[in-house]
Amino acid sequence: QVQLVESGGGLVQPGGSLRLSCVASGFTFSRFGMTWYRQAPGKERELLASIGWSSGLTSYADSVKGRFTISRDNAKNTVYLQMNSLKPEDTAVYYCNVFVNYYNYWGQGTQVTVSS
């Protein structure tokens, strides 16, 4: 079955950086685009960044453009989210997502807290 496992979250000061990882299994990773989302308390889940199956095509939400970078390593079945210049408003649970066989799969999420 499809599984997504995120890691790399934590507490970071404003202006700091984190790199999130999402290890995928249960499907042919190299054939599917991947997406990162986040959800802050009391807010709707927000799409942050997407990457095509071959890494050649990426897109970003305006809120993170220029600060976050999505990438993937198909040999490791892993998608990454490099987050720089973090702000308190980036505090949220971060999820990776894949749409396989007409179903949306989500990981368990990883908490990112930006605070001094």
Side-chain angles (χ1 to χ4, degrees):
Q1 70 278 22
V2 173
Q3 285 193 318
L4 303 172
V5 179
E6 301 96 337
S7 63
L11 174 63
V12 63
Q13 291 187 342
S17 298
L18 283 175
R19 188 177 81 154
L20 306 184
S21 300
C22 172
V23 179
S25 61
F27 64 102
T28 306
F29 179 78
S30 60
R31 295 183 181 177
F32 290 86
M34 300 293 296
T35 304
W36 282 98
Y37 287 77
R38 69 185 177 191
Q39 188 164 22
K43 294 189 177 181
E44 293 187 355
R45 195 165 290 192
E46 176 188 12
L47 190 155
L48 299 178
S50 296
I51 187 166
W53 61 272
S54 68
S55 302
L57 185 64
T58 59
S59 63
Y60 298 91
D62 287 343
S63 59
V64 304
K65 197 173 295 182
R67 300 189 299 124
F68 291 10
T69 303
I70 189 171
S71 62
R72 66 189 296 158
D73 185 339
N74 286 343
K76 295 182 179 180
N77 282 11
T78 301
V79 61
Y80 303 98
L81 187 67
Q82 177 67 43
M83 306 187 296
N84 299 327
S85 302
L86 284 162
K87 306 174 182 179
E89 52 263 44
D90 293 318
T91 295
V93 179
Y94 285 68
Y95 301 90
C96 64
N97 166 271
V98 66
F99 187 71
V100 176
N101 293 337
Y102 308 105
Y103 191 84
N104 254 326
Y105 290 91
W106 301 90
Q108 82 289 349
T110 186
Q111 174 71 46
V112 172
T113 302
V114 184
S115 175
S116 55

